[in-house]
Amino acid sequence: MLISEFARTVELPVDTIRFYIAKGLLKPDRSLKGGSNPYHLFKPEDVTAARMIRLQQTLGYTLSEILTLNDEYRAGEHSSERTIEVLELQIERLQERKIALDTALSFLRNKVDWVKSGKAGDAPNLEDYQ
Amino acid sequence: MLISEFARTVELPVDTIRFYIAKGLLKPDRSLKGGSNPYHLFKPEDVTAARMIRLQQTLGYTLSEILTLNDEYRAGEHSSERTIEVLELQIERLQERKIALDTALSFLRNKVDWVKSGKAGDAPNLEDYQ
DNA sequence: CTTGACCATGGAGTTTACTCCACACTTATA
DNA sequence: TATAAGTGTGGAGTAAACTCCATGGTCAAG
């Protein structure tokens, strides 16, 4: 798969993909010779990698964090212990984020209820949701 | 409360607070005259506002989105319908984010299990978690 | 009355994550 | 054979969210 088809598949601009390649987040093959330089060739696993990046980004990871995670993951690929360590660190971080999210959600839901009740009693206070 | 105490309270650098004031995200009083210009005076509700900003930020809102939300919220303050509309839009957005988060979490948990099982069977695939 | 601790403003600098060229090359099409 | 479409590189530009700094002010302590 060439870069423009890959871009359509993962729904990202070509420029962004090249940016990710430059950063080392995507490492497509370069076997096909084309213009002034060999072309990038994307495999299905690159599609997964791109989707993973998007997912991690919506969860608040920076690109360099994603890169370090990938590197650590690859580095520990032959030690199950290290792999599990890296994975569990990610899980912990996401769980913290989930708590923040649930906090915000119950705060907002209670606020809706409070408004619907004609603002009876005290307004929900953010401080009560930590 | 003056700016440095406020900064300690909400655990943010003074510069960041001034930046938020400039953006209109915080609107402390300016009654106290001090140096070349009147000082900012922060009330408990400013502390809540600052914490709310941090929370919204960890949930992926940009500062200008937060500003528009605040503005919309204030604008609809006398119409319960509009207030509920704004709140429910936020809830929807957070629920989407929660789904992404749960996706990532179950993917990572299954991956941990898979590694712990001595990598028996197929590796968990991200595509299966959407 | 000077020194140090705070305060404000305006503006420059930084990092992140793109986004947009200009230029150069190859290949398919008219 | 010209032209369009696709690809690569290097580098400039941009928006967001800070972060740092120079300058200028007030005020309490020594």
Side-chain angles (χ1 to χ4, degrees), chain A residues 21-86:
Chain A
I21 294 170
K23 286 254 156 179
L25 285 159
L26 291 174
K27 298 183 203 274
D29 278 356
R30 303 206 65 177
S31 25
L32 183 65
K33 68 159 195 156
S36 31
N37 291 291
Y39 287 0
H40 293 118
L41 274 176
F42 299 83
K43 287 186 284 186
E45 64 186 76
D46 294 314
V47 174
T48 306
R51 291 209 217 281
M52 197 64 203
I53 291 168
R54 298 308 289 177
L55 181 57
Q56 295 184 84
Q57 250 181 288
T58 68
L59 298 174
Y61 287 87
T62 66
L63 293 186
S64 55
E65 281 173 313
I66 296 172
L67 190 59
T68 338
L69 283 173
N70 286 355
D71 287 354
E72 274 179 352
Y73 190 75
R74 261 194 284 277
E77 220 160 28
H78 296 293
S79 147
S80 293
E81 269 185 31
R82 184 85 191 95
T83 305
I84 289 172
E85 219 174 282
V86 172

Side-chain angles (χ1 to χ4, degrees), chain B:
Chain B
M1 194 188 332
L2 291 187
I3 198 164
S4 62
E5 191 190 342
F6 181 72
R8 273 192 303 278
T9 310
V10 300
E11 288 167 296
L12 283 175
V14 170
D15 271 331
T16 301
I17 291 160
R18 281 205 252 263
F19 176 72
Y20 287 169
I21 295 170
K23 286 254 157 181
L25 285 158
L26 291 174
K27 298 183 203 277
D29 279 354
R30 304 207 63 178
S31 27
L32 184 65
K33 65 158 197 159
S36 34
N37 292 290
Y39 287 0
H40 293 118
L41 273 176
F42 298 83
K43 288 185 285 187
E45 64 186 75
D46 294 313
V47 174
T48 307
R51 291 209 216 281
M52 196 66 203
I53 291 167
R54 298 308 290 175
L55 181 57
Q56 295 185 84
Q57 251 180 290
T58 67
L59 298 174
Y61 287 87
T62 66
L63 293 187
S64 53
E65 281 173 313
I66 296 172
L67 190 58
T68 342
L69 283 172
N70 286 356
D71 288 354
E72 275 179 352
Y73 190 75
R74 261 193 284 277
E77 221 159 27
H78 296 293
S79 147
S80 292
E81 268 184 34
R82 185 84 192 95
T83 304
I84 289 172
E85 219 174 282
V86 172
L87 289 173
E88 281 180 343
L89 232 120
Q90 287 186 71
I91 291 175
E92 259 177 63
R93 171 155 181 187
L94 293 192
Q95 276 169 341
E96 273 169 34
R97 209 149 284 234
K98 190 171 173 172
I99 289 169
L101 218 161
D102 284 330
T103 301
L105 271 173
S106 48
F107 173 66
L108 289 174
R109 290 204 180 103
N110 282 12
K111 202 149 183 179
V112 168
D113 289 348
W114 175 73
V115 174
K116 280 187 176 164
S117 79
K119 304 193 179 175
D122 289 341
N125 188 338
L126 180 61
E127 315 290 318
D128 303 336
Y129 294 81
Q130 1 225 40

